[in-house]
């Protein structure tokens, strides 16, 4: 890569960006969507039921006695023309979603427009990865052409491509903010007041988008600011974490004054303080999953989409991920590591510790996504440290080939997945049938969380079902009679003509969901009441595996 002149680097960056867009854009809009990713883009809040004193009642903002619009429900401002998302949860705002709200209609509208806008937002990570690599201590000599390996690695990282084609703009925006903060803090000169303020604001925006990014960003920033070349008066360095914390806290406080969070949705509302020490024992498990993501995101995303046993892919992914991390640790020990390598190690440890305390299961891999750009920079530094042009080119080619094969297999899995949560075939098939039947409003009841908001997204709110998943939450084995009573409350309240069931394997459905029991309860309840299931429609996934099932009910 040393043959690339400085004048051609912008062209090389453009070529890398073109490769990324050529891979990511064609699939945007074809994959299925999840409830969490599309709800910030809905023009109206989903109509969701909850069980109150044995009766199925609407949740906010449709609860009994709710004031007319404009009103302020749990997570969004419900205006006269549309919902304006504010908080997705207490620890993450919908700030990044406004990128898709603005650009989605210009990029085809609907689900496809949202996902294409996320691809463009993800694109910003590529030049930021190059700038961070270029400003690393390892590239203090004229090594800028080799720094192009960082965005090239990132453009071929399947985890980045996968989430870049979703509606998770709040997640992507947090990583863009993180990388912007690191780029501002990275120049090899004492930290100025202006850079301290800009780095703090960018870090604050990242945390505002998703607070958990702090467990990656804070250690990485500390690594940069601790370097002797960047040292400055303590008050100037303290301005970075101060702004990083003050901005999200100020916004959180402002909106909490306007409308308190509903119980259980505020930041850290469900933090298990009583089991904090017990969770420390989970740190190795979280570290293992983080390494598996770094080695190959397919080791996690593959089983999620196919329902296959995850252990063997995780082991292979973790072994691959341990290679660059191990080199980074060894080079740090010898005192020759670059900034990116140290940021990767520090961020990885921050994620493992933070993940153990924030999440109940080590399978929760969300924190690892922020490490992808840091890994790309670290690998570029390690390649730059090699002697000899042939060796540099050979190792760079191997690194890119490892990434590329993951992309090839990942995209291939998209066309034969078994999980209805990610299945465009299942979701589009169901929507087409609903449109053909002319289904509207309360004629349709959905039964699982990962259907809430999805039908509205695909139909651009033309079909707005009743979502009953909170009422139908599983109480564990032996809960069949209770589930039947709760389902009866839904049927009594709304008498739907159609019910949408989920039959496919989904490891992330939630422990509170038993789709087989829900289906059995519906059929038993309808028969016991003298009704009948008139028709059924099956909507398989791309592989032909069961996805969703629509049933029509005739009441006695």
């Amino acid at each position: 890569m040393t043959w690339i002149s400085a004048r051609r680097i912008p062209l090389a960056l453009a070529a890398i960006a073109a490769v990324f867009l050529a891979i990511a854009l064609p699939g945007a809009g074809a994959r299925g969507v999840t409830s969490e990713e599309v709800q910030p883009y809905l023009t109206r809040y989903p109509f969701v039921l909850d069980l109150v004193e044995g009766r199925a009642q609407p949740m906010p903002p449709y609860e009994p006695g709710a004031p007319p619009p404009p009103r302020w429900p749990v997570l969004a401002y419900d205006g006269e023309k549309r919902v304006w998302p504010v908080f997705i949860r207490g620890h993450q705002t919908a700030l990044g979603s406004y990128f898709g709200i603005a650009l989605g209609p210009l990029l085809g509208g609907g689900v496809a427009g949202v996902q294409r806008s996320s691809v463009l937002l993800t694109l910003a990570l590529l030049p930021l990865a190059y700038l961070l690599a270029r400003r690393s201590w390892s590239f203090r000599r004229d090594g800028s052409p080799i720094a192009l390996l960082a965005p090239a690695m990132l453009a071929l990282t399947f985890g980045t491509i996968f989430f870049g084609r979703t509606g998770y703009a709040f997640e992507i925006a947090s990583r863009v903010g993180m990388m912007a903060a690191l780029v501002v803090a990275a120049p090899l000169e004492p930290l100025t007041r202006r850079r301290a303020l800009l780095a703090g604001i960018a870090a604050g925006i990242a945390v505002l988008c998703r607070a958990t990014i702090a467990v990656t960003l804070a250690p990485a920033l500390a690594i940069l600011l601790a370097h002797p070349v960047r040292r400055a008066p303590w008050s100037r360095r303290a301005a970075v974490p101060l702004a990083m914390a003050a901005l999200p806290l100020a916004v959180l406080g402002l909106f909490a004054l306007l409308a308190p969070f509903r119980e259980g949705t505020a930041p850290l509302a469900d933090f298990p303080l009583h089991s904090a020490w017990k969770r420390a024992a989970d740190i190795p498990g979280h570290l293992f999953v983080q390494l598996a993501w770094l080695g190959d995101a397919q080791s996690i995303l593959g089983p999620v989409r196919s329902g296959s046993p995850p252990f063997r892919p995780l082991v292979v992914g973790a072994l691959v991920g341990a290679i660059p991390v191990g080199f980074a640790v060894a080079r740090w020990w010898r005192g020759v590591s670059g900034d990116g390598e140290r940021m990767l190690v520090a961020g990885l440890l921050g994620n493992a510790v933070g993940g153990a305390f924030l999440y109940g299961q080590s399978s929760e891999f969300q924190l690892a996504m922020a490490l992808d750009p840091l890994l790309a920079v670290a690998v570029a530094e390690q390649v730059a440290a090699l002697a000899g042009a042939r060796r540099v080119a050979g190792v760079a080619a191997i690194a890119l080939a490892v990434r590329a094969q993951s992309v090839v297999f990942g995209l291939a899995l998209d066309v034969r997945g078994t999980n209805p949560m990610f299945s465009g075939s299942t979701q589009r098939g169901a929507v087409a049938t609903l449109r053909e039947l002319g289904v509207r409003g309360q004629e349709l009841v959905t039964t699982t969380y990962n259907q809430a908001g999805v039908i509205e997204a695909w139909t651009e709110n033309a079909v707005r079902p009743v979502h009953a998943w909170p009422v139908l939450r599983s109480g564990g084995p032996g809960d069949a009679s209770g589930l039947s009573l709760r389902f009866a409350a839904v049927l009594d309240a709304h008498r739907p003509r159609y019910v949408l069931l989920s039959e496919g394997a989904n490891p992330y459905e939630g422990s509170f969901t038993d789709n087989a029991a829900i289906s059995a309860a519906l059929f038993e309840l309808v028969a016991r009441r003298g009704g009948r299931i008139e028709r059924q429609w099956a909507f398989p996934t791309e592989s032909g595996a069961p996805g969703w099932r629509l049933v029509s009910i005739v009441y006695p």
Side-chain angles (χ1 to χ4, degrees):
M1 298 176 74
T2 54
W3 49 267
I4 301 178
S5 67
R7 290 181 300 175
R8 293 182 177 178
I9 286 177
L11 293 177
L13 276 173
I16 293 170
V19 170
F20 174 78
L21 292 176
I23 295 172
L25 272 179
R31 188 186 61 80
V33 293
T34 67
S35 176
E36 184 180 61
E37 71 180 271
V38 297
Q39 287 195 26
Y41 302 99
L42 301 179
T43 57
R44 285 296 162 202
Y45 216 74
F47 190 92
V48 183
L49 299 178
D50 204 354
L51 200 65
V52 180
E53 297 180 354
R55 299 180 61 187
Q57 292 189 0
M59 294 178 66
Y62 306 109
E63 73 277 22
R71 54 186 180 262
W72 186 272
V74 181
L75 302 173
Y77 181 76
D78 192 7
E80 294 183 359
K81 295 184 177 181
R82 65 160 297 149
V83 162
W84 298 100
V86 180
F87 284 91
I88 295 169
R89 289 194 180 92
H91 67 283
Q92 54 199 34
T93 70
L95 183 61
S97 300
Y98 280 88
F99 190 85
I101 290 174
L103 291 186
L106 305 176
L107 297 171
V111 170
V114 165
Q115 294 183 336
R116 289 167 186 154
S117 72
S118 293
V119 171
L120 297 184
L121 183 58
T122 306
L123 185 65
L125 292 172
L126 302 185
L128 290 172
Y130 169 75
L131 289 173
L132 185 58
R134 185 67 185 89
R135 293 178 178 184
S136 164
W137 181 252
S138 293
F139 290 90
R140 60 191 183 277
R141 61 188 186 276
D142 186 19
S144 56
I146 304 177
L148 287 167
L149 181 60
M153 282 276 296
L154 195 56
L156 294 176
T157 296
F158 184 71
T160 297
I161 293 170
F162 181 87
F163 280 96
R165 301 197 302 174
T166 70
Y168 283 105
F170 62 89
E171 181 80 63
I172 300 165
S174 71
R175 282 181 275 169
V176 173
M178 179 192 80
M179 290 295 288
L182 296 176
V183 167
V184 173
L188 293 166
E189 57 188 35
L191 186 70
T192 63
R193 289 187 179 88
R194 180 173 177 272
R195 282 174 46 222
L197 179 61
L198 289 176
I201 291 174
I205 291 173
V207 173
L208 190 60
C209 291
R210 183 175 172 86
T212 54
I213 195 75
V215 301
T216 309
L217 176 55
L221 272 174
I223 289 294
L224 288 180
L225 299 180
H227 198 285
V229 175
R230 301 185 184 93
R231 283 182 181 171
W234 70 268
S235 57
R236 196 176 302 167
R237 283 180 287 169
V240 178
L242 181 63
M244 175 180 168
L247 179 60
L249 288 176
V251 172
L252 178 65
L254 172 63
F255 284 107
L257 286 175
L258 292 173
F261 285 95
R262 189 164 61 92
E263 183 180 357
T265 64
L268 300 179
D270 56 353
F271 184 76
L273 188 61
H274 62 282
S275 62
W277 290 110
K278 180 181 178 181
R279 292 200 173 203
D282 294 334
I283 292 176
H286 284 269
L287 179 61
F288 174 74
V289 169
Q290 302 278 314
L291 287 172
W293 177 271
L294 289 177
D296 186 359
Q298 277 300 336
S299 64
I300 296 174
L301 294 176
V304 168
R305 289 180 295 163
S306 68
S308 61
F311 184 72
R312 182 177 295 178
L314 283 176
V315 171
V316 174
L319 290 174
V320 175
I323 295 173
V325 172
F327 277 119
V329 171
R331 282 167 48 80
W332 195 349
W333 180 265
R334 291 164 47 204
V336 296
S337 60
D339 293 320
E341 291 174 287
R342 294 194 295 272
M343 285 190 292
L344 172 63
V345 173
L348 176 62
L349 293 177
N351 281 5
V353 175
F357 287 102
L358 292 172
Y359 298 105
Q361 298 178 342
S362 59
S363 59
E364 301 284 350
F365 61 88
Q366 296 92 319
L367 297 179
M369 293 184 285
L371 294 174
D372 284 342
L374 300 184
L375 175 67
V377 174
V379 170
E381 290 176 341
Q382 291 171 354
V383 172
L386 297 173
R390 289 186 178 180
R391 185 175 296 178
V392 166
V395 175
I398 292 173
L400 292 175
V402 169
R403 282 313 199 202
Q405 63 83 28
S406 177
V407 171
V408 171
F409 284 109
L411 295 178
L413 190 56
D414 277 343
V415 300
R416 62 176 190 274
T418 63
N419 189 336
M421 187 174 72
F422 296 115
S423 173
S425 174
T426 291
Q427 296 175 14
R428 288 192 301 271
V431 165
T433 298
L434 292 173
R435 282 174 167 160
E436 181 182 337
L437 294 170
V439 177
R440 291 290 182 271
Q442 297 186 8
E443 290 183 320
L444 173 66
V445 164
T446 72
T447 55
T448 185
Y449 171 72
N450 285 303
Q451 293 168 339
V454 172
I455 303 299
E456 294 93 326
W458 282 106
T459 64
E460 299 189 42
N461 279 290
V463 180
R464 302 186 64 236
V466 174
H467 301 295
W469 67 268
V471 180
L472 304 178
R473 281 178 289 199
S474 173
D479 186 43
S481 60
L483 178 59
S484 181
L485 290 174
R486 295 195 301 275
F487 217 147
V490 174
L491 298 184
D492 290 341
H494 297 278
R495 291 185 68 83
R497 293 177 57 198
Y498 302 94
V499 175
L500 188 62
L501 303 169
S502 182
E503 301 178 310
N506 181 7
Y508 282 79
E509 191 75 79
S511 58
F512 51 79
T513 302
D514 187 337
N515 288 323
I518 290 172
S519 179
L522 173 65
F523 280 76
E524 186 273 336
L525 184 62
V526 170
R528 177 158 46 89
R529 290 188 165 194
R532 73 179 192 276
I533 302 297
E534 184 179 34
R535 294 184 63 188
Q536 298 187 48
W537 298 263
F539 308 107
T541 65
E542 287 79 359
S543 67
W548 289 349
R549 180 173 296 274
L550 180 69
V551 302
S552 67
I553 303 174
V554 174
Y555 295 91

